[in-house]
Amino acid sequence: MHVTARLLAALEAATEDRFVFDLPGIEERYAALLRELPGVSVRFAIKACPVAEVLSCLARKGSGFDAASPNEVAQAIAAGAPLDRIHYGNTVKSDRNIAEAYRLGVRDFATDSVEDVRAIAAHAPGARVFCRLATDGRGAMWSLSDKFGCSAADVPIVMEAALTAGLSPAGLSLHVGSQQMTAEAWISALAGLADVLAALNRRGIPLTRVNLGGGLPALGYLDHGGGPLNPPLDKMFAVIREGMQRLREISHHALDFVMEPGRHLVADHGALRAHVCRLSTRRRADGERQYWLYLSCGKFNGLYEMDAVQYPMIFPTHPGRDHVQAIVAGPTCDNHDTFNEGRVTVPVPRAVASGDPVWLLSCGAYATSYTTQGFNGFSPLPYVCVDRERDLPPEGEGR
Ligand SMILES: *Cc1c(COP(=O)(O)O)cnc(C)c1O
């Protein structure tokens, strides 16, 4: 399990449903990333966990932010990040979005089209632009390949349009797809960056920054059989280091590297305390008998990704081994509010009763973003953040 004792203690202490975030756990994951990828600076992708305490904890450690809207820019500023560590990483933006971000002080914008470049020039004059190179998204649980990025052939066209429009064509970016499971995707992404960088060098366009995007995995998700997914994280770090070295060798200028991890930093350090609504047995029309575990929280309480992800589930009041295999679903009147669309069953203690606590682990990424505003009357869940103070011995004890 990729969960700290601190997080488990906070789940134990929760008597009502809530999300729990382990701030020191997030800090440790951030520090580990910087150790593994020396020379990379982090721009945390806010959408993965737009929780003020999480953002300010990362900002205190020196993290910047990848913002996707003026409101996210404002959240990053409120967290205490300096403006030169906040960029606008969304290639999709209206004129008004650009003008508002510029007014707030943002000078770095991602782009992937000539139309967007012209809009940036009009509403954020003189800004630095980063052209996003498309990836195929293979190997990722959530590909980001269709909607974002341009082809290698189009990058020079976009960058020359930026120069003509008085912008500074400052760098390249990409995203290998979220929860990328293969090191090969990183190898081909970095090879693609090297080709484009060389092509831009030949045209005399001096790039100074490479943004490797997000996509690094959570470690705690399960596969459909309930086993660990085991993404090859060490191999990924190794190929990223090699790719960075190669980019440095071919670049005509000193390069700085940034990365926009979201999921990797927060997923395993957030968890949900939910409770059992009911364990029911039902017979389908074809006569097959099924167990269904209905939980108090589901897709519309933020577990939107449960159509693909198996979160580890713990029934803390039922440590025994007498289990049934049940389909797990959320509490709403929506058929899709069912884990893995009902294709997967998980072991559930036969004796669970309505009201028993259930802990869902590794659901710290994207859950607060995907929370709906009261679907079927189920309100957004509260959250608590645990900090180091909890580890200190109570007054009068210990040292
Ligand atoms: C969502 C997003 C990220 C974060 O992706 P993860 O897979 O969570 O690391 C980074 N950059 C951009 C531009 C994004 O849209």
Side-chain angles (χ1 to χ4, degrees):
M1 267 198 307
H2 297 273
V3 173
T4 62
R6 194 171 36 234
L7 187 64
L8 290 174
L11 287 167
E12 185 82 57
T15 54
E16 302 284 341
D17 290 359
R18 63 197 54 230
F19 285 106
V20 178
F21 294 100
D22 173 14
L23 301 180
I26 292 170
E27 286 174 8
E28 281 154 28
R29 192 60 70 85
Y30 173 83
L33 178 60
L34 296 188
R35 274 198 308 276
E36 291 290 345
L37 300 178
V40 166
S41 48
V42 169
R43 304 281 180 267
F44 176 66
I46 295 176
K47 76 175 184 293
C49 193
V51 167
E53 292 87 340
V54 169
L55 301 183
S56 38
C57 141
L58 284 167
R60 272 196 305 277
K61 292 285 158 189
S63 179
F65 295 96
D66 167 48
S69 66
N71 278 346
E72 282 195 350
V73 171
Q75 282 173 286
I77 293 170
L83 284 165
D84 62 359
R85 289 194 205 142
I86 302 170
H87 67 230
Y88 203 108
N90 194 350
T91 54
V92 183
K93 43 200 165 325
S94 70
D95 294 353
R96 193 189 282 203
N97 295 154
I98 298 166
E100 182 64 9
Y102 186 76
R103 193 187 65 76
L104 290 169
V106 172
R107 294 295 178 265
D108 293 351
F109 291 82
T111 191
D112 61 1
S113 72
V114 170
E115 291 78 5
D116 186 60
V117 158
R118 291 200 186 115
I120 295 170
H123 301 282
R128 299 174 5 121
V129 289
F130 303 85
C131 190
R132 179 152 163 182
L133 182 62
T135 61
D136 63 23
R138 255 186 310 201
M141 283 178 80
W142 293 276
S143 156
L144 292 163
S145 58
D146 300 329
K147 188 171 165 186
F148 310 100
C150 57
S151 68
D154 275 355
V155 176
I157 297 170
V158 170
M159 287 309 217
E160 289 191 348
L163 263 183
T164 309
L167 298 172
S168 162
L172 298 173
S173 75
L174 51 61
H175 195 301
V176 295
S178 202
Q179 188 71 15
Q180 174 56 250
M181 293 298 293
T182 70
E184 288 68 29
W186 284 106
I187 294 174
S188 67
L190 283 147
L193 285 172
D195 288 346
V196 173
L197 190 78
L200 290 171
N201 276 340
R202 281 195 298 275
R203 287 169 182 245
I205 297 179
L207 300 188
T208 55
R209 170 167 296 184
V210 173
N211 176 352
L212 298 172
L216 290 174
L219 303 178
Y221 299 157
L222 304 180
D223 66 20
H224 289 174
L229 272 183
N230 286 332
L233 186 63
D234 291 338
K235 177 90 195 294
M236 289 175 184
F237 284 141
V239 302
I240 293 170
R241 282 191 298 265
E242 280 163 31
M244 285 168 57
Q245 184 52 35
R246 165 104 187 100
L247 287 170
R248 285 196 177 101
E249 282 161 16
I250 62 174
S251 175
H252 292 182
H253 302 268
L255 284 182
D256 58 332
F257 285 90
V258 303
M259 207 166 194
E260 307 167 332
R263 186 183 301 282
H264 181 68
L265 295 187
V266 292
D268 298 320
H269 299 292
L272 173 61
R273 190 275 187 197
H275 68 268
V276 172
C277 286
R278 191 74 57 203
L279 176 63
S280 302
T281 54
R282 293 166 49 223
R283 216 181 280 279
R284 291 195 322 197
D286 66 5
E288 191 193 321
R289 207 170 121 89
Q290 293 176 328
Y291 284 95
W292 281 75
L293 175 71
Y294 302 108
L295 294 180
S296 60
C297 302
K299 191 175 268 184
F300 303 104
N301 308 99
L303 306 183
Y304 180 79
E305 294 188 330
M306 73 190 196
D307 48 12
V309 159
Q310 283 287 104
Y311 301 111
M313 257 173 18
I314 295 180
F315 298 85
T317 51
H318 295 276
R321 292 189 177 277
D322 187 15
H323 288 112
V324 297
Q325 287 296 127
I327 297 169
V328 184
T332 63
C333 294
D334 188 306
N335 206 51
H336 292 294
D337 192 7
T338 304
F339 278 55
N340 273 285
E341 303 290 347
R343 290 183 302 260
V344 176
T345 59
V346 306
V348 174
R350 193 183 292 275
V352 289
S354 187
D356 285 350
V358 183
W359 300 343
L360 291 114
L361 306 182
S362 291
C363 61
Y366 295 104
T368 52
S369 290
Y370 280 133
T371 295
T372 60
Q373 193 65 45
F375 196 115
N376 275 154
F378 295 102
S379 303
L381 292 168
Y383 67 85
V384 287
C385 293
V386 290
D387 215 333
R388 259 179 241 286
E389 276 78 39
R390 282 182 187 259
D391 298 339
L392 298 175
E395 266 180 27
E397 283 180 39
R399 280 160 292 169

